[in-house]
Amino acid sequence: MTRPFRLLVLSAAVAATLAACNRDREAPETAPARTETGALVTPADAAAPPGFEDKTPYADVSLTLPEALKAHPDLHARLYAEEVRKLRQFAEGAQGDLTEAGAATDRPKYENAVTLTAAAETAKLFSLKRVSFDYSGGAHPNTLTSGILWDKALKRQIGLGDLFRKGADLSPVDAALCSALNAAKRERVPDGVSITFDSKPFACPRAATTAFVLAPGDEPGKAAGLTFLIGPFQAGPYVEGGYEVPIPATVFRSLLTTAYAGEFGGRLVKTAPAAS
């Protein structure tokens, strides 16, 4: 083998080795990841843009995220990926509904608009309110409201049960919620009938099974309580609408776990029950 030919072979081998190394380094950057719930997060999704919008002949879907979410990139990417996945599934379902055999051709297209807003934030916790305006046919659309509570250190979503001691008696919270809800109902419908835990067809909800967000207060870095989110049909007829009922932390402070007791303090910014 001549010297020039040996040099040519050696150069080709070095180039191939460097290319392989580069591919090894690039692979982790481009490989898709998954959230805790299994939703696929592509490299584009990982950038977590502030929203998403898509219009098809069958459905209009959109997602709006708050500016405050950018400070929590793990939660930002997770919520964006999961919400977009659900919106795409909604649009696919709309196409199936509106093109099924025998369906009326003049039916209006479906709509699902999801809006997340920052509710309150403490040293450990970040709270978001999620509102979904959903029209899937029928006489009227539905507005569904729920809450998201994120532990910033643990990087996971938590619920009401995580805030309170195991086995804590939540009856004081239930009673305060029922009383505040009836006060809000009287403001909206002065001649309306009060509800109880056993009344029908509408009854007071229990705190443990009601969506909530942190309630802002007058002490920086603290939550002054919890705002419970009660949707239409839960406490009254649809025309009455939903309610947002804040409960001060003084009602449940003794029930909080040691881990989260320090996250609450101050007084509610809005002491009167608020309508959603």
Side-chain angles (χ1 to χ4, degrees):
M1 182 181 295
T2 64
R3 174 181 171 81
F5 184 73
R6 285 198 302 272
L7 291 175
L8 180 61
V9 171
L10 181 60
S11 298
V14 171
T17 301
L18 290 175
C21 291
N22 288 334
R23 284 195 299 271
D24 290 341
R25 286 196 298 268
E26 292 170 0
E29 298 175 0
T30 58
R34 290 186 180 273
T35 66
E36 295 174 4
T37 59
L40 186 65
V41 182
T42 66
D45 291 338
F52 170 81
E53 184 177 19
D54 189 29
K55 297 180 183 292
T56 75
Y58 310 100
D60 293 341
V61 298
S62 64
L63 169 67
T64 302
L65 300 175
E67 183 72 19
L69 191 55
K70 291 182 179 179
H72 309 283
D74 293 324
L75 179 59
H76 195 164
R78 169 183 171 171
L79 288 178
Y80 179 83
E82 292 181 353
E83 295 291 355
V84 169
R85 173 179 55 81
K86 289 187 287 188
L87 289 173
R88 286 174 172 155
Q89 289 175 344
F90 177 90
E92 292 172 2
Q95 180 174 354
D97 287 350
L98 297 176
T99 58
E100 65 183 359
T105 57
D106 60 346
R107 293 167 64 187
K109 64 163 58 178
Y110 288 4
E111 181 180 357
N112 195 345
V114 176
T115 302
L116 273 66
T117 55
E121 184 169 4
T122 72
K124 291 183 178 180
L125 301 171
F126 180 51
S127 181
L128 293 160
K129 182 173 74 171
R130 180 186 186 274
V131 178
S132 173
F133 176 87
D134 182 321
Y135 176 73
S136 304
H140 54 73
N142 288 314
T143 300
L144 308 174
T145 306
S146 59
I148 298 168
L149 186 58
W150 181 255
D151 186 306
K152 296 187 288 187
L154 299 179
K155 297 187 183 299
R156 68 178 181 90
Q157 189 170 339
I158 63 173
L160 193 72
D162 297 295
L163 294 178
F164 296 119
R165 299 193 314 270
K166 186 175 181 179
D169 179 12
L170 298 186
S171 57
V173 187
D174 292 339
L177 176 57
C178 188
S179 177
L181 176 57
N182 274 305
K185 286 171 65 66
R186 285 193 295 272
E187 288 184 5
R188 194 175 300 180
V189 187
D191 58 348
V193 177
S194 294
I195 58 176
T196 68
F197 293 111
D198 300 315
S199 58
K200 294 181 180 180
F202 306 109
C204 285
R206 299 284 181 178
T209 56
T210 304
F212 72 95
V213 293
L214 296 180
D218 59 3
E219 185 173 341
K222 304 283 187 178
L226 299 174
T227 298
F228 290 90
L229 310 171
I230 302 167
F233 288 128
Q234 287 187 271
Y238 179 81
V239 293
E240 193 172 311
Y243 293 90
E244 297 183 6
V245 183
I247 301 299
T250 51
V251 171
F252 54 80
R253 188 180 304 280
S254 62
L255 306 176
L256 292 166
T257 65
T258 303
Y260 297 117
E263 304 307 296
F264 293 85
R267 294 178 297 179
L268 292 171
V269 172
K270 300 176 71 172
T271 57
S276 63

